[in-house]
Amino acid sequence: VEVGQLWYPGGELDVTRAIKPGTEQEFALLVTARPMSAETQSFMAPERIIKDKASVRMKGITGDLYLVATPSAQRIQDVQVITSTRDKQIAFVVETEGLAAGTYQVEAAVEGCGAKKRFSAQTVQAESNGILRLSAQWKDPQLWDIATPQNRYTAVVTVRNAKGEVIDTFTPVKFGFREFRV
């Protein structure tokens, strides 16, 4: 059953209508690499433009591909990790869908650079647009820079209801501590 198409650079595709719960499923992906046009032009000098047949260097799946079971009613839509080296702080901004106004618990498990940290808040008030925010201090993060590209962390964020029951857990988010100020 064809369920849809995604074009570069990707996105989300809902495959719910093709799934039969409780049975083994098999997915087949057709990945094509097509150039944007039939030919390319290279400027060498005035009045000297070289035309060549267009090609695609990277073919196939060139990034991460996730199959995610997403709750239909209440769920995490996106997570943004905001770091501040100056304030020695980390913040998790959780965009949700279908969450009613009220109090929730947000927790983030962070791993990377030899560190394992857990941040949690017992009560976080949902904003009118369904956004939850969790901020915490982080005094000694490894800084991510062009000289230290390995200094990256991975965060897994979970939202719980007031009773502590898991509403949703988001896919891992990679980030680094780096800050630019003007």
Side-chain angles (χ1 to χ4, degrees), residues 24-182:
E24 189 173 309
Q25 309 289 307
E26 182 176 315
F27 285 91
L29 300 174
L30 172 62
V31 180
T32 61
R34 294 181 238 163
M36 299 295 277
S37 62
E39 64 180 32
T40 60
Q41 295 182 353
S42 300
F43 178 79
M44 303 302 281
E47 298 181 17
R48 187 168 174 216
I49 297 175
I50 296 174
K51 293 182 180 181
D52 197 6
K53 183 180 177 188
S55 64
V56 177
R57 282 189 222 149
M58 293 188 161
K59 298 175 182 165
I61 299 171
T62 57
D64 294 331
L65 178 67
Y66 294 99
L67 178 61
V68 180
T70 306
S72 59
Q74 299 176 326
R75 66 185 184 116
I76 298 173
Q77 186 78 17
D78 195 16
V79 171
Q80 180 182 14
V81 181
I82 302 171
T83 59
S84 174
T85 57
R86 180 204 264 171
D87 299 332
K88 299 184 184 314
Q89 194 173 39
I90 187 166
F92 303 92
V93 180
V94 183
E95 182 183 332
T96 64
E97 187 174 304
L99 234 57
T103 303
Y104 297 91
Q105 298 173 18
V106 178
E107 65 182 44
V110 177
E111 288 188 22
C113 303
K116 286 188 177 186
K117 292 186 177 269
R118 184 170 289 285
F119 303 96
S120 61
Q122 294 304 314
T123 56
V124 175
Q125 196 67 29
E127 295 178 13
S128 61
N129 54 3
I131 292 181
L132 303 170
R133 296 177 194 271
L134 170 64
S135 297
Q137 293 294 309
W138 191 335
K139 297 188 186 303
D140 60 346
Q142 297 292 315
L143 301 182
W144 175 65
D145 207 340
I146 56 172
T148 54
Q150 71 278 7
N151 288 353
R152 291 187 50 194
Y153 297 91
T154 302
V156 176
V157 176
T158 301
V159 173
R160 298 175 186 273
N161 63 17
K163 297 176 187 174
E165 302 165 331
V166 173
I167 292 173
D168 195 11
T169 300
F170 199 66
T171 54
V173 177
K174 293 186 179 190
F175 69 95
F177 269 86
R178 186 174 184 171
E179 187 169 7
F180 295 96
R181 290 201 182 247
V182 177

